[in-house]
Amino acid sequence: SQIQDMSAEKVTKAKDMAFVFDIDGVLVHGDRLIPEGKRTLEILNGDNELGIKIPHIFLTNGSGKPEAPRCEQLSKILGNPISTEQFIQSHTPMSALAEYYKTVLIVGGEGYRCREVAEQYGFKDIVVPNDIVAWDPTIAPYRVFTAEERASSRPRDFSQTNIEAIMVFSDSRDYATDMQIIMDLLRSENGRLGTMAKDPVSQRIPIYFSQGDLLCPSEHWTPRMSQGAFRIGLEAMYRALTGVDLERVVYGKPELATYKYADEVIASWMEVIHNEEKLPKNIYMIGDNPASDIVGGNMYGWNTCLVRTGVYQGEGNDDDNPASVGVFPNVLEAIKTAIKREL
Ligand code: G3P
Ligand code: MG
């Protein structure tokens, strides 16, 4: 019975901790499994000494696909079920914006997948840059617009439409076209193409970005520019053209709003797996990027573990944003240490 008491205490402690996983560079590289990721999830899904589920969610700056197919794909790669209810990608919290804006410009991503994402979030009237190019090709003078693209776009007379907000969901596949259209809209009267606002501030529509990463690792030998670089380009152009600074909202890690949203998701996931909606006390963020995962986790008061399977390749801890628990060769070592600390 002493043994029973001890394990009951451990179960209570196990429910009072939670893991928040970054995805790229921690569990997978693109579509390739990081082997320790699979074992990590097996342990947290119940293959541990207590035989219970240890709460965990996924918090990624990734984007460009609806949540359900992305979770399905990750479940396959990781060999463990991942539910959309424990999954946050960069644009997930932006679904709340559907209540405030009807007609929106959605920028970035492959094909029309971000249109699909916005539809699922409940946006009522979604415009993508191709719809505008199909209406007036002269808006993007260097763009080669294929017949296929024309056939799949939804042109209308945009001089008769007010676009109420601009939302960059994912990386732009055509900086020149996307930047030109965004700049035209930011300088227009209340988002109406074909107009130019007299006052650049009071008639300007808002712009939102799903995340702020400057760089993103890829197959190339050095990281490639990401949404943060695209935003900085836009800010510089806007400043040069209007003389005023561009106000904007950025989601994703390490922005505070995203961590607050994660708390809500952890609490409701607790309800799903343990029938009690509560926020565990000891939260561990496991990430590979000091400038996003770790700085955000530290600011928000979470424990942080840095792994060496992704962006970070340094010797000791990161100088600017040291992980509070430490640096680990991989995700499995990180969770083993955290579990040992808590139980
Ligand atoms: O930079 C975008 C994406 O690749 C980062 O994903 O999971 O490391 O936040 P993640
Ligand atoms: Mg990462």
Side-chain angles (χ1 to χ4, degrees):
S1 59
Q2 211 182 344
I3 293 174
Q4 269 171 351
D5 286 351
M6 265 176 64
S7 76
E9 199 188 318
K10 277 192 175 180
V11 168
T12 309
K13 286 180 178 166
K15 289 181 181 173
D16 215 10
M17 74 181 302
F19 289 100
V20 178
F21 291 108
D22 172 77
I23 291 183
D24 234 333
V26 171
L27 298 168
V28 299
H29 281 299
D31 292 339
R32 203 157 32 85
L33 174 72
I34 295 175
E36 293 82 5
K38 184 163 188 258
R39 183 67 198 131
T40 294
L41 296 188
E42 283 165 5
I43 292 172
L44 301 185
N45 283 328
D47 189 9
N48 53 58
E49 52 164 318
L50 302 169
I52 70 156
K53 291 190 164 139
I54 300 175
H56 58 282
I57 66 158
F58 304 88
L59 181 60
T60 175
N61 271 359
S63 61
K65 221 185 236 186
E67 281 73 9
R70 180 64 178 143
C71 284
E72 214 172 283
Q73 179 191 25
L74 284 167
S75 303
K76 271 199 198 117
I77 299 170
L78 286 156
N80 280 269
I82 293 173
S83 161
T84 53
E85 288 174 85
Q86 62 182 148
F87 182 72
I88 307 166
Q89 46 185 353
S90 64
H91 40 62
T92 306
M94 295 171 82
S95 60
L97 298 171
E99 217 181 291
Y100 302 97
Y101 305 108
K102 185 170 166 273
T103 304
V104 291
L105 179 77
I106 301 289
V107 181
E110 231 169 86
Y112 293 97
R113 293 238 74 185
C114 282
R115 171 144 43 208
E116 212 181 315
V117 173
E119 273 163 10
Q120 296 199 354
Y121 290 170
F123 287 98
K124 293 285 178 299
D125 186 22
I126 300 153
V127 179
V128 300
N130 273 2
D131 302 337
I132 296 171
V133 177
W135 163 63
D136 180 1
T138 65
I139 200 165
Y142 309 118
R143 173 66 183 271
V144 180
F145 205 51
T146 65
E148 218 181 324
E149 284 172 311
R150 190 173 304 280
S152 55
S153 59
R154 301 179 191 168
R156 70 176 101 151
D157 183 357
F158 284 102
S159 71
Q160 300 303 311
T161 301
N162 280 47
I163 291 176
E164 293 161 37
I166 302 163
M167 295 180 197
V168 182
F169 268 14
S170 197
D171 285 309
S172 167
R173 296 324 200 244
D174 178 355
Y175 274 38
T177 301
D178 291 346
M179 282 176 154
Q180 182 68 66
I181 289 174
I182 290 172
M183 207 53 61
D184 287 340
L185 280 173
L186 289 172
R187 299 177 69 201
S188 72
E189 278 174 12
N190 305 307
R192 189 170 288 232
L193 290 170
T195 68
M196 183 71 78
K198 276 162 219 80
D199 172 25
V201 178
S202 68
Q203 293 179 305
R204 187 179 63 213
I205 60 170
I207 180 163
Y208 297 86
F209 296 86
S210 78
Q211 54 111 328
D213 291 347
L214 271 181
L215 297 170
C216 177
S218 79
E219 257 82 87
H220 198 68
W221 67 273
T222 188
R224 303 290 76 199
M225 291 190 290
S226 187
Q227 227 195 94
F230 181 75
R231 189 198 74 231
I232 285 171
L234 278 172
E235 286 166 354
M237 289 172 198
Y238 186 82
R239 166 105 215 153
L241 289 167
T242 65
V244 298
D245 285 332
L246 179 62
E247 272 172 48
R248 77 287 187 284
V249 178
V250 183
Y251 283 76
K253 295 171 288 183
E255 301 299 323
L256 192 68
T258 289
Y259 289 78
K260 283 191 181 145
Y261 186 86
D263 266 353
E264 287 169 32
V265 172
I266 297 168
S268 62
W269 184 243
M270 275 294 285
E271 166 85 48
V272 175
I273 62 167
H274 290 311
N275 285 318
E276 44 182 325
E277 180 166 351
K278 70 156 200 171
L279 188 62
K281 263 203 231 67
N282 305 302
I283 298 180
Y284 286 79
M285 171 90 223
I286 320 282
D288 67 308
N289 188 350
S292 110
D293 312 313
I294 304 304
V295 66
N298 286 346
M299 280 190 308
Y300 202 57
W302 289 351
N303 302 292
T304 50
C305 303
L306 181 59
V307 295
R308 272 212 195 80
T309 45
V311 171
Y312 185 72
Q313 295 294 336
E315 282 287 303
N317 212 327
D318 185 58
D319 289 333
D320 299 324
N321 301 294
S324 65
V325 183
V327 188
F328 298 89
N330 58 60
V331 62
L332 186 58
E333 296 304 320
I335 66 128
K336 279 184 177 166
T337 298
I339 292 173
K340 227 178 255 154
R341 259 169 65 136
E342 296 299 332
L343 303 191

